[in-house]
């Protein structure tokens, strides 16, 4: 971690503690971090500080701190929302959490839900959590951990405070940005040859492919957000606008799902040649062409 990032992280830790001490910590928080371990660690820190009964939160010596740091506190719940063979944070998992939230805490005067892999929540799941984010019980706090806030609906973002642990090291390179723009153009022009040319570099560099697919997911989600009538600044404004005008909401959802599947295949170390073929096939299939 760079000195700049370490300073930023310490500032966010202090900001969270200060808000908790003052009694005005929000009931909905979004932790944005591309490193899931770091994001979840920050979420656990917040949860620990919320249940701590000491003066210097978290004090690490009170019974609540000891249980929280041992991951055994009965009022701190962690879940990735995955059930059965599903790879997504399911709406059924959200409904169970929503029902459980109205059960009073066991030991603390607070009840905290850490929702991991928030980027795997589909629109249905996000709408389900939205209902309780709007009017949560006074003792309930939700901490959603996601790789990027761009994966969340605008309605959800409007009801949470974002703690971003992204650094300049996570900024996209010019090569990645150009790849995104060229792939979107080839996709919209139904130019199969151009699409294969633009994704050919994926054959040699899986990490580059993953970075570009993450950015493409952001573009497709932003286009869907705009299509649903929400207005805000978008990193890929031109691509977002043209995708919003050219594709249906169903096609954009299909493209997001295709990116998720392709990223998962990279994490499974799939064959590079097969990845190239799959990218072209899945993208064309997503828009029905």
């Amino acid at each position: 971690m760079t000195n700049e990032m370490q300073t930023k992280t310490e500032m966010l830790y202090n900001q969270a503690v200060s808000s908790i001490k003052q009694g005005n910590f929000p009931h909905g928080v979004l932790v944005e971090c591309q490193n899931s371990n770091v994001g979840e660690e920050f979420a656990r820190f917040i949860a620990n500080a919320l249940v701590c009964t000491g003066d210097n939160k978290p004090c690490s010596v009170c019974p609540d701190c000891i249980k929280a740091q041992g991951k055994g506190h009965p009022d701190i719940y962690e879940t990735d929302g995955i059930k059965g063979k599903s790879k997504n944070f399911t709406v059924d998992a959200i409904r169970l959490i929503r029902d459980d939230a109205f059960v009073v805490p066991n030991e603390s005067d607070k009840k905290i839900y850490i929702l991991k892999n928030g980027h795997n929540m589909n629109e249905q799941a996000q709408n389900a959590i939205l209902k309780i984010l709007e009017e949560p019980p006074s003792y309930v706090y939700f901490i959603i951990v996601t790789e990027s806030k761009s994966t969340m609906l605008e309605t959800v973002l409007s009801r949470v405070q974002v703690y971003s642990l992204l650094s300049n090291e996570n900024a996209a390179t010019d090569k990645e940005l150009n790849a995104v723009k060229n792939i979107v153009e080839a996709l919209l022009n139904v130019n199969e040859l151009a699409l294969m040319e633009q994704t050919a570099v994926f054959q040699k560099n899986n990490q580059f492919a993953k970075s570009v697919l993450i950015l493409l997911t952001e573009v497709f989600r932003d286009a869907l957000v705009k299509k649903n009538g929400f207005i805000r600044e978008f990193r890929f404004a031109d691509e977002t606008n043209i995708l919003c005008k050219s594709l249906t909401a169903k096609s954009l959802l299909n493209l997001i799902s295709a990116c998720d599947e392709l990223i998962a295949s990279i994490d499974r170390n799939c064959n590079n040649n097969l990845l190239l073929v799959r990218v072209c096939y899945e993208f064309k299939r997503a828009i029905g062409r």
Side-chain angles (χ1 to χ4, degrees):
M1 184 183 295
T2 64
N3 290 334
E4 178 185 358
M5 187 57 190
Q6 186 173 359
T7 300
K8 179 181 179 181
T9 302
E10 289 174 354
M11 180 185 70
L12 292 177
Y13 272 68
N14 292 334
Q15 180 182 330
V17 169
S18 176
S19 181
I20 291 169
K21 284 182 175 180
Q22 293 172 20
N24 57 8
F25 193 78
H27 288 269
V29 163
L30 186 80
V31 178
E32 178 186 38
C33 187
Q34 287 188 342
N35 185 321
S36 59
N37 291 329
V38 174
E40 290 167 17
E41 181 183 345
F42 184 66
R44 293 185 189 109
F45 171 85
I46 292 175
N48 186 177
L50 281 167
V51 299
C52 175
T53 56
D55 292 329
N56 295 317
K57 302 181 183 296
C59 69
S60 298
V61 294
C62 73
D64 286 291
C65 276
I66 292 172
K67 291 177 183 178
Q69 291 171 11
K71 297 184 180 180
H73 199 291
D75 297 316
I76 299 176
Y77 302 82
E78 288 191 31
T79 180
D80 57 12
I82 295 175
K83 295 211 176 274
K85 296 182 179 180
S86 174
K87 297 177 182 177
N88 293 322
F89 200 120
T90 66
V91 66
D92 287 338
I94 294 294
R95 286 169 180 157
L96 288 173
I97 291 168
R98 203 169 58 193
D99 292 341
D100 185 73
F102 289 97
V103 179
V104 296
N106 288 284
E107 296 181 7
S108 175
D109 59 350
K110 299 178 181 66
K111 197 171 189 178
I112 301 101
Y113 295 89
I114 297 175
L115 310 184
K116 301 183 288 187
N117 297 324
H119 45 273
N120 289 335
M121 283 188 194
N122 59 25
E123 185 175 1
Q124 189 180 13
Q126 291 190 48
N127 282 328
I129 194 70
L130 178 65
K131 294 179 181 179
I132 195 165
L133 280 175
E134 290 175 335
E135 294 184 38
S138 60
Y139 51 80
V140 169
Y141 295 82
F142 291 100
I143 307 172
I144 304 172
V145 183
T146 181
E147 291 177 353
S148 171
K149 66 180 182 182
S150 68
T151 62
M152 309 305 294
L153 296 176
E154 193 71 20
T155 47
V156 173
L157 290 176
S158 67
R159 288 164 177 79
V160 297
Q161 179 174 329
V162 177
Y163 285 85
S164 180
L165 296 175
L166 299 181
S167 70
N168 291 332
E169 294 173 352
N170 294 320
T173 65
D174 289 341
K175 185 178 180 181
E176 291 167 350
L177 295 174
N178 287 332
V180 169
K181 294 177 181 179
N182 292 335
I183 289 172
V184 168
E185 182 179 353
L187 190 63
L188 291 174
N189 291 334
V190 201
N191 190 329
E192 185 172 353
L193 178 60
L195 185 58
M196 292 190 69
E197 289 177 347
Q198 295 303 326
T199 56
V201 69
F202 289 4
Q203 289 179 295
K204 301 178 181 179
N205 191 333
N206 268 6
Q207 189 54 52
F208 176 76
K210 183 175 180 178
S211 297
V212 172
L213 286 167
I214 289 173
L215 290 172
L216 283 168
T217 303
E218 177 184 338
V219 177
F220 298 145
R221 287 188 186 278
D222 284 350
L224 186 61
V225 166
K226 187 177 178 72
K227 203 168 191 69
N228 286 332
F230 295 101
I231 305 300
R232 59 178 171 82
E233 291 186 8
F234 300 107
R235 173 156 48 164
F236 297 90
D238 292 340
E239 288 72 22
T240 297
N241 289 335
I242 192 169
L243 283 166
C244 176
K245 293 176 182 177
S246 304
L247 299 181
T248 65
K250 181 178 179 181
S251 290
L252 290 168
L253 283 169
N254 288 340
L255 285 167
I256 293 168
S257 295
C259 284
D260 289 341
E261 287 294 326
L262 290 164
I263 291 169
S265 70
I266 291 174
D267 290 337
R268 293 192 298 268
N269 295 315
C270 74
N271 179 277
N272 287 21
N273 290 328
L274 289 178
L275 175 64
L276 173 59
V277 174
R278 281 199 63 194
V279 168
C280 296
Y281 172 75
E282 294 290 348
F283 279 5
K284 288 192 299 178
R285 188 180 69 161
I287 61 176
R289 294 173 180 169

Coordinates of all heavy atoms in Angstrom, one line a residue, residues 51-83:
V51 N -20.4 -1.8 17.9 CA -20.9 -2.6 19.1 C -20.0 -2.3 20.3 O -20.4 -2.7 21.5 CB -20.9 -4.1 18.8 CG1 -21.9 -4.4 17.7 CG2 -19.5 -4.6 18.5
C52 N -18.8 -1.7 20.2 CA -17.9 -1.4 21.3 C -18.5 -0.6 22.4 O -19.2 0.4 22.1 CB -16.7 -0.7 20.7 SG -15.5 -0.3 22.0
T53 N -18.3 -1.0 23.6 CA -18.9 -0.2 24.7 C -17.8 0.6 25.4 O -18.1 1.3 26.4 CB -19.5 -1.2 25.8 OG1 -18.5 -2.2 26.2 CG2 -20.7 -1.9 25.2
G54 N -16.6 0.6 24.9 CA -15.5 1.4 25.5 C -15.5 2.8 25.0 O -16.3 3.2 24.1
D55 N -14.6 3.6 25.5 CA -14.5 5.0 25.1 C -13.7 5.2 23.8 O -14.1 5.9 22.9 CB -13.8 5.8 26.2 CG -14.7 6.0 27.4 OD1 -15.9 5.9 27.3 OD2 -14.1 6.0 28.5
N56 N -12.6 4.5 23.7 CA -11.8 4.6 22.4 C -12.2 3.4 21.5 O -11.7 2.3 21.6 CB -10.3 4.4 22.8 CG -9.8 5.6 23.6 OD1 -10.2 6.8 23.3 ND2 -9.0 5.3 24.6
K57 N -13.1 3.7 20.6 CA -13.7 2.7 19.8 C -12.8 2.4 18.5 O -12.4 3.3 17.9 CB -15.1 3.1 19.3 CG -16.0 3.4 20.5 CD -17.4 3.8 20.0 CE -18.3 4.2 21.2 NZ -18.6 3.1 22.1
P58 N -12.6 1.1 18.2 CA -12.9 -0.1 19.1 C -11.8 -0.2 20.1 O -10.6 -0.1 19.8 CB -12.9 -1.2 18.1 CG -12.0 -0.8 17.0 CD -12.1 0.7 16.9
C59 N -12.2 -0.5 21.4 CA -11.2 -0.5 22.5 C -10.4 -1.8 22.5 O -9.4 -1.9 23.1 CB -11.9 -0.3 23.8 SG -13.0 -1.7 24.3
S60 N -11.0 -2.9 21.9 CA -10.3 -4.2 21.8 C -10.3 -5.0 23.2 O -9.8 -6.1 23.2 CB -8.9 -4.1 21.3 OG -8.9 -3.6 20.0
V61 N -10.9 -4.4 24.2 CA -10.8 -5.1 25.5 C -12.2 -5.4 26.1 O -12.4 -6.2 27.0 CB -10.0 -4.3 26.5 CG1 -8.6 -4.2 26.1 CG2 -10.6 -2.9 26.7
C62 N -13.3 -4.6 25.7 CA -14.6 -4.9 26.2 C -15.1 -6.2 25.6 O -14.6 -6.7 24.6 CB -15.5 -3.7 25.9 SG -16.0 -3.7 24.1
P63 N -16.1 -6.9 26.3 CA -16.6 -8.2 25.8 C -17.1 -8.1 24.4 O -16.9 -9.1 23.6 CB -17.8 -8.4 26.8 CG -17.4 -7.7 28.1 CD -16.7 -6.5 27.6
D64 N -17.7 -7.0 24.0 CA -18.2 -6.9 22.6 C -17.1 -6.9 21.6 O -17.2 -7.5 20.5 CB -19.1 -5.7 22.5 CG -20.5 -5.8 23.1 OD1 -21.3 -6.6 22.6 OD2 -20.7 -5.2 24.1
C65 N -16.0 -6.2 21.9 CA -14.9 -6.1 21.0 C -14.2 -7.5 20.9 O -13.8 -7.9 19.8 CB -13.8 -5.1 21.5 SG -14.2 -3.4 21.0
I66 N -14.1 -8.1 22.0 CA -13.4 -9.5 22.0 C -14.2 -10.4 21.1 O -13.6 -11.2 20.3 CB -13.3 -10.0 23.4 CG1 -12.3 -9.1 24.2 CG2 -12.8 -11.5 23.4 CD1 -12.2 -9.5 25.7
K67 N -15.5 -10.4 21.2 CA -16.4 -11.3 20.4 C -16.3 -10.9 18.9 O -16.3 -11.7 18.0 CB -17.8 -11.3 20.9 CG -18.0 -12.0 22.3 CD -19.4 -11.9 22.8 CE -19.5 -12.5 24.1 NZ -20.9 -12.4 24.7
A68 N -16.4 -9.5 18.7 CA -16.4 -9.1 17.3 C -15.1 -9.4 16.6 O -15.1 -9.8 15.5 CB -16.6 -7.5 17.3
Q69 N -13.9 -9.2 17.3 CA -12.6 -9.5 16.7 C -12.4 -11.0 16.5 O -11.5 -11.4 15.7 CB -11.5 -8.8 17.5 CG -11.6 -7.3 17.4 CD -10.7 -6.5 18.3 OE1 -9.9 -7.1 19.0 NE2 -10.9 -5.2 18.5
G70 N -13.1 -11.8 17.3 CA -13.0 -13.2 17.1 C -14.1 -13.7 16.1 O -14.2 -15.0 16.0
K71 N -14.8 -12.8 15.5 CA -15.9 -13.1 14.5 C -16.9 -14.0 15.2 O -17.5 -14.9 14.5 CB -15.3 -13.8 13.3 CG -14.3 -13.0 12.5 CD -13.9 -13.7 11.2 CE -12.9 -12.8 10.5 NZ -12.4 -13.4 9.2
G72 N -17.2 -13.7 16.5 CA -18.2 -14.5 17.2 C -19.3 -13.7 17.8 O -20.0 -14.2 18.7
H73 N -19.4 -12.4 17.4 CA -20.4 -11.6 18.0 C -21.8 -11.9 17.4 O -22.0 -12.0 16.2 CB -20.1 -10.1 17.8 CG -20.8 -9.2 18.7 ND1 -22.2 -9.0 18.7 CD2 -20.4 -8.4 19.8 CE1 -22.6 -8.2 19.7 NE2 -21.5 -7.8 20.3
P74 N -22.8 -12.2 18.3 CA -24.1 -12.6 17.8 C -24.9 -11.6 17.1 O -25.9 -11.9 16.5 CB -24.8 -13.1 19.1 CG -24.2 -12.3 20.2 CD -22.7 -12.2 19.8
D75 N -24.5 -10.3 17.2 CA -25.2 -9.2 16.5 C -24.5 -8.7 15.3 O -24.9 -7.6 14.8 CB -25.5 -8.1 17.5 CG -26.4 -8.6 18.7 OD1 -27.4 -9.3 18.4 OD2 -26.1 -8.3 19.9
I76 N -23.5 -9.3 14.9 CA -22.8 -9.0 13.6 C -22.9 -10.1 12.7 O -22.4 -11.2 12.9 CB -21.3 -8.6 13.9 CG1 -21.2 -7.5 14.8 CG2 -20.6 -8.3 12.6 CD1 -19.7 -7.1 15.2
Y77 N -23.6 -9.9 11.6 CA -23.8 -10.9 10.6 C -23.1 -10.7 9.3 O -23.1 -9.5 8.8 CB -25.3 -11.0 10.3 CG -26.2 -11.3 11.5 CD1 -26.6 -10.3 12.4 CD2 -26.6 -12.6 11.8 CE1 -27.3 -10.5 13.5 CE2 -27.4 -12.8 12.9 CZ -27.7 -11.8 13.8 OH -28.5 -12.0 14.9
E78 N -22.4 -11.7 8.8 CA -21.7 -11.6 7.5 C -22.3 -12.5 6.5 O -22.5 -13.7 6.9 CB -20.2 -11.9 7.6 CG -19.4 -10.8 8.3 CD -17.9 -11.0 8.2 OE1 -17.5 -11.6 7.2 OE2 -17.2 -10.6 9.2
T79 N -22.5 -12.1 5.3 CA -23.0 -13.0 4.3 C -22.7 -12.5 2.9 O -22.5 -11.3 2.7 CB -24.6 -13.2 4.3 OG1 -25.0 -14.1 3.3 CG2 -25.3 -11.8 4.2
D80 N -22.4 -13.5 2.0 CA -22.2 -13.1 0.6 C -23.5 -13.4 -0.3 O -23.5 -13.2 -1.5 CB -21.0 -13.9 0.0 CG -21.2 -15.4 0.1 OD1 -22.4 -15.9 0.4 OD2 -20.3 -16.2 -0.2
G81 N -24.5 -13.8 0.4 CA -25.8 -13.9 -0.2 C -26.0 -15.1 -1.2 O -27.0 -15.1 -2.0
I82 N -25.0 -15.9 -1.3 CA -25.0 -17.0 -2.3 C -25.8 -18.2 -1.7 O -25.5 -18.6 -0.6 CB -23.6 -17.4 -2.7 CG1 -22.9 -16.3 -3.4 CG2 -23.6 -18.7 -3.6 CD1 -21.5 -16.6 -3.8
K83 N -26.7 -18.7 -2.5 CA -27.4 -19.9 -2.1 C -27.5 -20.9 -3.2 O -27.7 -20.6 -4.4 CB -28.9 -19.5 -1.7 CG -28.9 -18.6 -0.5 CD -30.2 -18.8 0.3 CE -30.2 -18.0 1.6 NZ -29.5 -18.7 2.6

